[in-house]
Amino acid sequence: MAYFRGDARERPKQFILFLDEKLIDTLPVCSAAAFKRPQFRKCSFDLTAIDLKHSRSLSGRLDGFIWKIRL
């Protein structure tokens, strides 16, 4: 049995995909409507270019982490 938070009206919203295959090449949309359906997008730079020795974690919670990175 699946676990659902909230009432039955909220159930369909829990199955919306959160990953968008588009690259991050424009500024994010910060409207109220955009926050109702957040989506992660692909990073536009090469992930192997990140210097992990000089990167650090700024914050972390249940929904993810924020990193300060150096390229």
Side-chain angles (χ1 to χ4, degrees):
M1 182 172 171
Y3 172 72
F4 296 105
R5 289 183 292 156
D7 60 17
R9 293 174 294 170
E10 296 295 318
R11 287 181 187 173
K13 294 179 185 176
Q14 295 182 14
F15 294 101
I16 296 172
L17 294 177
F18 66 92
L19 180 64
D20 191 347
E21 295 295 325
K22 292 185 282 187
L23 288 176
I24 300 173
D25 58 353
T26 60
L27 293 175
V29 178
C30 297
S31 66
F35 282 97
K36 290 181 181 179
R37 186 177 178 205
Q39 290 188 317
F40 295 109
R41 295 189 292 170
K42 287 186 176 182
C43 189
S44 60
F45 59 86
D46 183 16
L47 295 177
T48 60
I50 298 173
D51 182 3
L52 294 175
K53 292 180 182 176
H54 294 98
S55 300
R56 64 185 177 105
S57 174
L58 298 177
S59 177
R61 300 288 185 264
L62 293 175
D63 60 346
F65 289 86
I66 299 171
W67 289 84
K68 182 174 184 177
I69 63 170
R70 182 178 290 177
L71 298 176

